[in-house]
Amino acid sequence: MIYAIANIRGIQFKFIENKYLYIPFNCDMVLGTKVVFDQVLFFYKNGLVQIGSPFLETIQIKVEILKHVKGNKIIIFKKKRRKGYKVKRGFKPKFTKLKVMNFVEK
């Protein structure tokens, strides 16, 4: 099993080879393109562990952008007791679906 932990826009994600990953929506990513992430913090391959300080310079992650999707609805409900105040609002967060192609070792 090969996997890595990388930083994307300040959030850490676990990348597993040939698996799908949902990250928060990024309008800069064009569908069908291949992107390389180079801010890799941790890399595991066949029992060998590499830890960056802060990033690994020798590892890159190549992914393909598949589609932009909406997640499940999140409901925000506010209420104040005995005041007759109730507000119900909600939204669907947007995500970008990625497929991890491979890990590039320099």
Side-chain angles (χ1 to χ4, degrees):
M1 179 176 182
I2 301 171
Y3 70 91
I5 297 175
N7 183 28
I8 301 173
R9 293 174 34 201
I11 304 171
Q12 296 174 5
F13 293 96
K14 183 177 180 179
F15 291 84
I16 301 173
E17 198 167 26
N18 296 322
K19 297 284 182 173
Y20 299 105
L21 181 70
Y22 292 92
I23 64 169
F25 177 72
N26 188 350
C27 60
D28 299 336
M29 296 183 173
V30 181
L31 297 179
T33 60
K34 293 180 175 50
V35 179
V36 176
F37 295 117
D38 57 353
Q39 292 187 350
V40 179
L41 303 165
F42 179 88
F43 184 69
Y44 175 85
K45 181 178 181 180
N46 299 331
L48 299 174
V49 174
Q50 295 179 11
I51 300 173
S53 59
F55 304 116
L56 292 169
E57 303 296 329
T58 59
I59 308 293
Q60 292 181 338
I61 303 170
K62 190 180 286 187
V63 300
E64 181 180 4
I65 291 117
L66 298 178
K67 60 182 172 178
H68 300 298
V69 296
K70 285 188 177 182
N72 295 333
K73 189 167 206 171
I74 297 173
I75 297 173
I76 296 104
F77 184 75
K78 299 178 183 179
K79 180 182 178 184
K80 294 188 179 177
R81 297 186 338 173
R82 297 183 296 271
K83 306 293 183 210
Y85 174 78
K86 291 189 276 189
V87 176
K88 182 178 177 182
R89 293 193 178 130
F91 70 98
K92 288 186 173 186
K94 293 182 180 179
F95 294 103
T96 300
K97 183 178 181 180
L98 307 175
K99 181 178 183 191
V100 180
M101 302 301 286
N102 59 357
F103 298 100
V104 180
E105 299 182 51
K106 295 181 186 176

